[in-house]
Structures are given as structure tokens and as C-alpha cells.
Amino acid sequence: MRVHALINPGAGTAERSNDLQQRLEALFAAHDLKAELKFVAGPALAAAALAARQCAERGEIDAVIGGGGDGSLNAVAAALAGTDIPMGVLPLGTRNHFAKDLGLPLELERAVAVIAQANATAVDVAEVNGQVFINNSSIGAYPFMVLDRDRRRNAHGLAKWSAMVLAAIRTLWKFPRRRLLTVVEGRSDSHRTPCVFIGNNEYSLSLPALGGRPRLDCGELWISVVKPKSRLALVWLGFCAVIGRTDLADDLVTERAAAVEIRSRASRLPVALDGEVTVMRPPLQYHSRPKALLVFRDAAQLAAAAEQGPVPPDAGR
């Protein structure tokens, strides 16, 4: 199989590996994969993904592999969504949410072995105002915190986690709350909230799958609005999420839908997409794109899941 592998050298695991290129070349060769490796980051990654898609459309390669964290995988998925070109995943980030929800191994050798199986299945992506996301999008506290983290890193050269801690403290101090209107299937609801979270399929709120998604192919968005809270109550909500408390109905308004429109009086809104923040003009038009992305997955893991039967519709609620 001929593949282009697009690797973000600044991703969490990749950044700490001195011999990543040599390891990948050896692993691809061992699994009979003819791979061209490109180490790219930032806007260049999105451009490289589009170029790789064009190579696949001309029949020059068979698949495109994304290596990095969720933001890097987002860039590759955005280029391939809506095509019949399969995507391989090398989980080289810090958290690797997409890989975990796909049931992929996090070890590099096993991840390459899954790609070599060439077992492609279709999963959903979601979209807001024309921009794709594979995990989730949010408005409010989280994008505010990410922007402040990046400002601190650029201005003072702080490490990522140190900057994030300081940004989290400032976010709680400022406690940004927005007046937003959500429109779902013609029904409008007004909210004054510190955070709106839109998942590409439903997220679990209970252990042991807290923060994961049982399914990535239901063709749904999971819309979760944090009810108006004080600073202390918001900290408590975060603590409850960490310990896996399941009775969150008093803290969140949740629903599932194929699409949602979010309106605001603001002329621009910072919006987080798979951990990266962009600024968009409302209204924000979110919708699911069912089974728009082909991804290589482990055949044995999928067979085991099939034997267990379908996930109940309210699993994780």
C-alpha cells in the first residue's frame, strides 16, 4: 500500500522522540507499506493534507496518514472528509482523544500494524460554518483560556502546562459568561452560560468511559450547555467530572440533534475546534456529516465490539 504520512514534529510524543523518522521508516517497511514521510506543522499541515488528497485522487497513493495530536488529525480529516480516501492515524499527541475513541492502540508499532490491515470503516465528522471537527467544539471558557495560554507562551516563553495553569486561574477570575441562543429543530432556547460544548456524537459522563464516546457513527451532535454557575460552582462541576459523578443533570442541559444553530449579539466569537481556537462570525451553524470519513481501524477490535451488540442509545447518560 502506498501512503503519504504527514507528521507534526511539534506534537507531544513526536517532540520527545529523537529518532522518530528512523523508527517510522523501519515500521512502515516491516509492514510492507511504501510510505513517503513529511514533517509539517501549522498551516503547512493543512496544505500538505490537501496536496496528499490530490495525489490520492490521481491514483498515485492509496491512503493518507496523520501523525500528531487531535489538532493535527483534524487538519488531515478536514482534507479527506467527503472522499473515499482512507485515513490512517498515528497517535503522537498528548491526549489522543480521537485515537482512543476509535479504539486504536496508542503504541506506535501497533498503530502502524492497524494501518497495514487496510480495514477502513466510515465515521462521522461534524462541521461549523464550513470548518470540520472530529472530536468537539466549544464556546466560552475553554477558548478564552486557550487564547490566554497562547498569549502567555508567546509573550513570556512559558511551558505549555505552566501557561495553561495561569490561564485557567485568569479564566476563573474573569469568569466569562455569554448570552447565547440555541436553535434546534425550530425550538429556540436562551442561555447565559460559561460554556457550550458540541460533541461529534455523544460523550460519556460516567466512569470508566468518562469523557469518551461509545460511538462515532450515530450521525448526531451532542449539545451540552453549562447552567449559570458561580466560580466556585464551576470548579465543583469540574471536580465532579474528574471523579466521575454521574448526576450532572442539575448542572448541564444536554440534547442530541443532527444540527444546531447558535446565535449571539457579539459580532465575533472565539470557537474551539479540537483544541485549536479560531474566531467566527455568528450565527454558528453546526451540523453532523454522517460517515463522511474513512478511517483505518483494528478489525479484531471491531469484531469484538460487534459481538457485544449495539450500544444502548442512552449509554453514558
Short mmCIF file of all heavy atoms in Angstrom, two decimals, residues 81-131:
data_model
loop_
_atom_site.label_atom_id
_atom_site.label_comp_id
_atom_site.label_asym_id
_atom_site.label_seq_id
_atom_site.Cartn_x
_atom_site.Cartn_y
_atom_site.Cartn_z
N ALA A 81 -12.44 14.39 4.41
CA ALA A 81 -13.87 14.18 4.64
C ALA A 81 -14.64 14.37 3.34
O ALA A 81 -14.40 15.31 2.59
CB ALA A 81 -14.37 15.16 5.70
N GLY A 82 -15.56 13.45 3.11
CA GLY A 82 -16.37 13.50 1.90
C GLY A 82 -15.76 12.82 0.70
O GLY A 82 -16.36 12.82 -0.38
N THR A 83 -14.57 12.23 0.87
CA THR A 83 -13.93 11.48 -0.22
C THR A 83 -13.92 10.00 0.13
O THR A 83 -14.30 9.60 1.24
CB THR A 83 -12.48 11.95 -0.45
OG1 THR A 83 -11.64 11.45 0.62
CG2 THR A 83 -12.39 13.47 -0.48
N ASP A 84 -13.46 9.17 -0.79
CA ASP A 84 -13.30 7.74 -0.50
C ASP A 84 -11.85 7.40 -0.21
O ASP A 84 -11.42 6.25 -0.36
CB ASP A 84 -13.84 6.89 -1.65
CG ASP A 84 -13.12 7.18 -2.97
OD1 ASP A 84 -12.24 8.08 -3.00
OD2 ASP A 84 -13.44 6.51 -3.98
N ILE A 85 -11.07 8.39 0.23
CA ILE A 85 -9.65 8.18 0.54
C ILE A 85 -9.53 7.86 2.02
O ILE A 85 -9.92 8.66 2.87
CB ILE A 85 -8.83 9.45 0.22
CG1 ILE A 85 -9.01 9.84 -1.25
CG2 ILE A 85 -7.35 9.24 0.55
CD1 ILE A 85 -8.58 11.26 -1.55
N PRO A 86 -9.00 6.70 2.38
CA PRO A 86 -8.90 6.34 3.80
C PRO A 86 -7.79 7.10 4.50
O PRO A 86 -6.78 7.47 3.91
CB PRO A 86 -8.62 4.83 3.77
CG PRO A 86 -8.02 4.57 2.44
CD PRO A 86 -8.58 5.59 1.49
N MET A 87 -8.00 7.28 5.81
CA MET A 87 -7.06 7.98 6.66
C MET A 87 -6.51 7.03 7.70
O MET A 87 -7.26 6.28 8.35
CB MET A 87 -7.76 9.16 7.35
CG MET A 87 -6.93 9.87 8.40
SD MET A 87 -7.87 11.24 9.17
CE MET A 87 -6.78 11.67 10.51
N GLY A 88 -5.19 7.04 7.87
CA GLY A 88 -4.55 6.29 8.94
C GLY A 88 -4.20 7.24 10.08
O GLY A 88 -3.99 8.43 9.86
N VAL A 89 -4.15 6.70 11.29
CA VAL A 89 -3.90 7.53 12.48
C VAL A 89 -2.68 7.03 13.23
O VAL A 89 -2.60 5.85 13.60
CB VAL A 89 -5.13 7.52 13.41
CG1 VAL A 89 -4.81 8.23 14.73
CG2 VAL A 89 -6.33 8.17 12.74
N LEU A 90 -1.73 7.93 13.44
CA LEU A 90 -0.59 7.68 14.33
C LEU A 90 -0.77 8.60 15.53
O LEU A 90 -0.57 9.81 15.43
CB LEU A 90 0.74 7.97 13.62
CG LEU A 90 1.09 7.08 12.43
CD1 LEU A 90 2.39 7.54 11.79
CD2 LEU A 90 1.20 5.62 12.87
N PRO A 91 -1.16 8.05 16.69
CA PRO A 91 -1.44 8.90 17.86
C PRO A 91 -0.15 9.39 18.50
O PRO A 91 0.45 8.71 19.34
CB PRO A 91 -2.23 7.97 18.78
CG PRO A 91 -1.82 6.59 18.39
CD PRO A 91 -1.46 6.63 16.94
N LEU A 92 0.28 10.57 18.13
CA LEU A 92 1.54 11.14 18.61
C LEU A 92 1.32 12.37 19.49
O LEU A 92 2.28 13.09 19.78
CB LEU A 92 2.44 11.51 17.42
CG LEU A 92 2.89 10.34 16.54
CD1 LEU A 92 3.60 10.86 15.29
CD2 LEU A 92 3.80 9.41 17.32
N GLY A 93 0.08 12.61 19.89
CA GLY A 93 -0.22 13.77 20.72
C GLY A 93 -0.12 13.46 22.20
O GLY A 93 0.33 12.38 22.61
N THR A 94 -0.58 14.41 22.99
CA THR A 94 -0.55 14.24 24.45
C THR A 94 -1.76 13.47 24.95
O THR A 94 -1.64 12.56 25.77
CB THR A 94 -0.50 15.62 25.14
OG1 THR A 94 0.63 16.34 24.64
CG2 THR A 94 -0.38 15.47 26.64
N ARG A 95 -2.95 13.79 24.43
CA ARG A 95 -4.17 13.15 24.92
C ARG A 95 -4.77 12.14 23.94
O ARG A 95 -5.39 11.17 24.35
CB ARG A 95 -5.21 14.22 25.29
CG ARG A 95 -4.77 15.03 26.52
CD ARG A 95 -5.72 16.17 26.82
NE ARG A 95 -5.67 17.21 25.80
CZ ARG A 95 -4.81 18.20 25.80
NH1 ARG A 95 -3.92 18.30 26.75
NH2 ARG A 95 -4.83 19.12 24.85
N ASN A 96 -4.66 12.38 22.65
CA ASN A 96 -5.07 11.41 21.63
C ASN A 96 -6.53 10.96 21.78
O ASN A 96 -6.84 9.77 21.73
CB ASN A 96 -4.14 10.19 21.67
CG ASN A 96 -2.69 10.55 21.41
OD1 ASN A 96 -2.37 11.20 20.42
ND2 ASN A 96 -1.81 10.14 22.31
N HIS A 97 -7.44 11.91 21.95
CA HIS A 97 -8.85 11.56 22.16
C HIS A 97 -9.45 10.82 20.97
O HIS A 97 -10.19 9.85 21.14
CB HIS A 97 -9.66 12.83 22.43
CG HIS A 97 -9.31 13.52 23.71
ND1 HIS A 97 -9.38 12.90 24.93
CD2 HIS A 97 -8.87 14.79 23.96
CE1 HIS A 97 -9.02 13.74 25.89
NE2 HIS A 97 -8.70 14.89 25.32
N PHE A 98 -9.16 11.29 19.76
CA PHE A 98 -9.75 10.67 18.57
C PHE A 98 -9.30 9.22 18.44
O PHE A 98 -10.12 8.32 18.19
CB PHE A 98 -9.36 11.47 17.33
CG PHE A 98 -10.06 11.05 16.06
CD1 PHE A 98 -11.44 11.01 15.98
CD2 PHE A 98 -9.33 10.71 14.93
CE1 PHE A 98 -12.09 10.63 14.81
CE2 PHE A 98 -9.96 10.33 13.75
CZ PHE A 98 -11.35 10.29 13.69
N ALA A 99 -8.01 8.97 18.62
CA ALA A 99 -7.49 7.61 18.53
C ALA A 99 -8.13 6.71 19.59
O ALA A 99 -8.50 5.56 19.30
CB ALA A 99 -5.97 7.62 18.67
N LYS A 100 -8.27 7.21 20.80
CA LYS A 100 -8.86 6.41 21.88
C LYS A 100 -10.31 6.08 21.57
O LYS A 100 -10.76 4.94 21.78
CB LYS A 100 -8.75 7.15 23.21
CG LYS A 100 -7.33 7.26 23.74
CD LYS A 100 -7.28 8.12 25.00
CE LYS A 100 -5.87 8.28 25.50
NZ LYS A 100 -5.80 9.19 26.69
N ASP A 101 -11.07 7.06 21.08
CA ASP A 101 -12.48 6.82 20.78
C ASP A 101 -12.66 5.87 19.59
O ASP A 101 -13.69 5.20 19.48
CB ASP A 101 -13.20 8.14 20.51
CG ASP A 101 -13.34 8.99 21.77
OD1 ASP A 101 -13.17 8.44 22.87
OD2 ASP A 101 -13.60 10.20 21.64
N LEU A 102 -11.66 5.81 18.72
CA LEU A 102 -11.68 4.85 17.61
C LEU A 102 -11.27 3.46 18.07
O LEU A 102 -11.38 2.50 17.30
CB LEU A 102 -10.73 5.30 16.50
CG LEU A 102 -11.18 6.48 15.63
CD1 LEU A 102 -10.02 6.97 14.77
CD2 LEU A 102 -12.36 6.10 14.75
N GLY A 103 -10.78 3.34 19.30
CA GLY A 103 -10.30 2.06 19.80
C GLY A 103 -8.95 1.68 19.24
O GLY A 103 -8.59 0.49 19.20
N LEU A 104 -8.16 2.67 18.83
CA LEU A 104 -6.85 2.39 18.24
C LEU A 104 -5.79 2.25 19.32
O LEU A 104 -5.86 2.89 20.38
CB LEU A 104 -6.44 3.53 17.30
CG LEU A 104 -7.32 3.73 16.07
CD1 LEU A 104 -6.87 4.96 15.29
CD2 LEU A 104 -7.26 2.50 15.17
N PRO A 105 -4.78 1.42 19.08
CA PRO A 105 -3.68 1.32 20.04
C PRO A 105 -2.85 2.60 20.03
O PRO A 105 -2.70 3.25 19.00
CB PRO A 105 -2.86 0.14 19.51
CG PRO A 105 -3.17 0.06 18.05
CD PRO A 105 -4.60 0.52 17.92
N LEU A 106 -2.31 2.95 21.19
CA LEU A 106 -1.50 4.16 21.29
C LEU A 106 -0.02 3.89 21.07
O LEU A 106 0.75 4.83 20.90
CB LEU A 106 -1.71 4.81 22.67
CG LEU A 106 -3.16 5.19 23.01
CD1 LEU A 106 -3.21 5.91 24.35
CD2 LEU A 106 -3.77 6.06 21.91
N GLU A 107 0.38 2.62 21.08
CA GLU A 107 1.77 2.27 20.81
C GLU A 107 2.03 2.39 19.31
O GLU A 107 1.24 1.93 18.48
CB GLU A 107 2.09 0.85 21.28
CG GLU A 107 1.89 0.63 22.77
CD GLU A 107 0.45 0.31 23.13
OE1 GLU A 107 -0.41 0.28 22.20
OE2 GLU A 107 0.16 0.11 24.32
N LEU A 108 3.16 2.97 18.95
CA LEU A 108 3.44 3.28 17.55
C LEU A 108 3.47 2.03 16.68
O LEU A 108 2.89 2.02 15.58
CB LEU A 108 4.78 4.03 17.46
CG LEU A 108 5.07 4.77 16.15
CD1 LEU A 108 3.96 5.76 15.84
CD2 LEU A 108 6.41 5.49 16.25
N GLU A 109 4.12 0.98 17.14
CA GLU A 109 4.22 -0.24 16.32
C GLU A 109 2.85 -0.84 16.04
O GLU A 109 2.55 -1.24 14.92
CB GLU A 109 5.12 -1.26 17.01
CG GLU A 109 5.33 -2.52 16.17
CD GLU A 109 6.38 -3.45 16.76
OE1 GLU A 109 6.95 -3.13 17.82
OE2 GLU A 109 6.61 -4.52 16.15
N ARG A 110 2.00 -0.90 17.05
CA ARG A 110 0.67 -1.47 16.87
C ARG A 110 -0.20 -0.56 16.00
O ARG A 110 -1.05 -1.04 15.24
CB ARG A 110 0.01 -1.71 18.22
CG ARG A 110 0.69 -2.80 19.05
CD ARG A 110 0.02 -2.96 20.40
NE ARG A 110 -1.38 -3.29 20.25
CZ ARG A 110 -2.32 -3.04 21.17
NH1 ARG A 110 -1.99 -2.40 22.28
NH2 ARG A 110 -3.57 -3.40 20.98
N ALA A 111 0.00 0.76 16.12
CA ALA A 111 -0.77 1.68 15.29
C ALA A 111 -0.43 1.49 13.81
O ALA A 111 -1.33 1.51 12.95
CB ALA A 111 -0.50 3.12 15.72
N VAL A 112 0.84 1.29 13.50
CA VAL A 112 1.24 1.03 12.11
C VAL A 112 0.67 -0.31 11.64
O VAL A 112 0.23 -0.45 10.48
CB VAL A 112 2.78 1.06 11.97
CG1 VAL A 112 3.19 0.64 10.56
CG2 VAL A 112 3.31 2.44 12.28
N ALA A 113 0.63 -1.29 12.52
CA ALA A 113 0.07 -2.60 12.16
C ALA A 113 -1.41 -2.49 11.80
O ALA A 113 -1.89 -3.16 10.87
CB ALA A 113 0.26 -3.58 13.32
N VAL A 114 -2.14 -1.63 12.50
CA VAL A 114 -3.56 -1.41 12.17
C VAL A 114 -3.69 -0.80 10.78
O VAL A 114 -4.54 -1.20 9.98
CB VAL A 114 -4.23 -0.51 13.23
CG1 VAL A 114 -5.60 -0.04 12.75
CG2 VAL A 114 -4.37 -1.25 14.55
N ILE A 115 -2.84 0.17 10.47
CA ILE A 115 -2.88 0.78 9.13
C ILE A 115 -2.60 -0.27 8.06
O ILE A 115 -3.26 -0.30 7.01
CB ILE A 115 -1.85 1.92 9.06
CG1 ILE A 115 -2.27 3.07 9.98
CG2 ILE A 115 -1.69 2.43 7.62
CD1 ILE A 115 -1.21 4.13 10.18
N ALA A 116 -1.66 -1.16 8.34
CA ALA A 116 -1.30 -2.19 7.36
C ALA A 116 -2.45 -3.17 7.10
O ALA A 116 -2.51 -3.78 6.03
CB ALA A 116 -0.06 -2.94 7.84
N GLN A 117 -3.36 -3.32 8.05
CA GLN A 117 -4.53 -4.17 7.82
C GLN A 117 -5.42 -3.64 6.71
O GLN A 117 -6.17 -4.40 6.09
CB GLN A 117 -5.38 -4.28 9.10
CG GLN A 117 -4.75 -5.00 10.27
CD GLN A 117 -5.66 -4.94 11.49
OE1 GLN A 117 -6.85 -4.60 11.41
NE2 GLN A 117 -5.11 -5.27 12.64
N ALA A 118 -5.37 -2.31 6.50
CA ALA A 118 -6.16 -1.63 5.46
C ALA A 118 -7.65 -1.88 5.63
O ALA A 118 -8.40 -2.03 4.66
CB ALA A 118 -5.70 -2.06 4.07
N ASN A 119 -8.10 -1.91 6.89
CA ASN A 119 -9.51 -2.12 7.20
C ASN A 119 -10.16 -0.76 7.46
O ASN A 119 -10.13 -0.24 8.57
CB ASN A 119 -9.64 -3.02 8.43
CG ASN A 119 -11.09 -3.29 8.79
OD1 ASN A 119 -11.84 -3.86 7.99
ND2 ASN A 119 -11.50 -2.87 9.97
N ALA A 120 -10.72 -0.18 6.43
CA ALA A 120 -11.29 1.17 6.53
C ALA A 120 -12.79 1.11 6.82
O ALA A 120 -13.52 0.39 6.16
CB ALA A 120 -11.04 1.95 5.24
N THR A 121 -13.21 1.86 7.83
CA THR A 121 -14.63 1.98 8.14
C THR A 121 -15.00 3.46 8.19
O THR A 121 -14.14 4.32 8.42
CB THR A 121 -14.98 1.32 9.48
OG1 THR A 121 -14.28 1.99 10.54
CG2 THR A 121 -14.60 -0.14 9.48
N ALA A 122 -16.28 3.75 8.02
CA ALA A 122 -16.73 5.14 7.95
C ALA A 122 -17.17 5.64 9.32
O ALA A 122 -17.90 4.96 10.04
CB ALA A 122 -17.88 5.27 6.96
N VAL A 123 -16.72 6.85 9.67
CA VAL A 123 -17.15 7.50 10.91
C VAL A 123 -17.63 8.91 10.57
O VAL A 123 -17.38 9.43 9.49
CB VAL A 123 -16.00 7.56 11.95
CG1 VAL A 123 -15.55 6.16 12.34
CG2 VAL A 123 -14.83 8.38 11.43
N ASP A 124 -18.31 9.51 11.53
CA ASP A 124 -18.85 10.84 11.34
C ASP A 124 -17.77 11.91 11.57
O ASP A 124 -16.83 11.71 12.33
CB ASP A 124 -19.98 11.13 12.34
CG ASP A 124 -21.10 10.10 12.29
OD1 ASP A 124 -21.24 9.43 11.25
OD2 ASP A 124 -21.84 10.00 13.29
N VAL A 125 -17.96 13.04 10.93
CA VAL A 125 -17.31 14.27 11.34
C VAL A 125 -18.43 15.28 11.59
O VAL A 125 -19.60 15.02 11.28
CB VAL A 125 -16.31 14.81 10.30
CG1 VAL A 125 -15.21 13.79 10.02
CG2 VAL A 125 -17.02 15.21 9.00
N ALA A 126 -18.07 16.41 12.18
CA ALA A 126 -19.02 17.50 12.35
C ALA A 126 -18.43 18.76 11.75
O ALA A 126 -17.24 18.82 11.44
CB ALA A 126 -19.35 17.69 13.83
N GLU A 127 -19.28 19.76 11.60
CA GLU A 127 -18.85 20.96 10.90
C GLU A 127 -19.54 22.18 11.50
O GLU A 127 -20.71 22.11 11.91
CB GLU A 127 -19.19 20.84 9.43
CG GLU A 127 -18.57 21.86 8.52
CD GLU A 127 -18.84 21.54 7.05
OE1 GLU A 127 -18.14 20.68 6.48
OE2 GLU A 127 -19.75 22.16 6.49
N VAL A 128 -18.81 23.29 11.57
CA VAL A 128 -19.41 24.56 11.98
C VAL A 128 -18.93 25.64 11.01
O VAL A 128 -17.74 25.83 10.81
CB VAL A 128 -19.06 24.94 13.43
CG1 VAL A 128 -17.56 24.90 13.70
CG2 VAL A 128 -19.63 26.31 13.78
N ASN A 129 -19.88 26.28 10.38
CA ASN A 129 -19.61 27.36 9.40
C ASN A 129 -18.52 26.94 8.41
O ASN A 129 -17.60 27.70 8.10
CB ASN A 129 -19.20 28.64 10.12
CG ASN A 129 -20.38 29.29 10.83
OD1 ASN A 129 -21.43 28.69 10.99
ND2 ASN A 129 -20.20 30.53 11.28
N GLY A 130 -18.62 25.69 7.95
CA GLY A 130 -17.71 25.20 6.92
C GLY A 130 -16.41 24.62 7.43
O GLY A 130 -15.61 24.13 6.63
N GLN A 131 -16.16 24.64 8.75
CA GLN A 131 -14.93 24.08 9.30
C GLN A 131 -15.21 22.76 10.01
O GLN A 131 -16.11 22.68 10.86
CB GLN A 131 -14.25 25.07 10.25
CG GLN A 131 -13.77 26.33 9.54
CD GLN A 131 -12.74 27.10 10.36
OE1 GLN A 131 -11.89 26.52 11.02
NE2 GLN A 131 -12.83 28.42 10.31
#
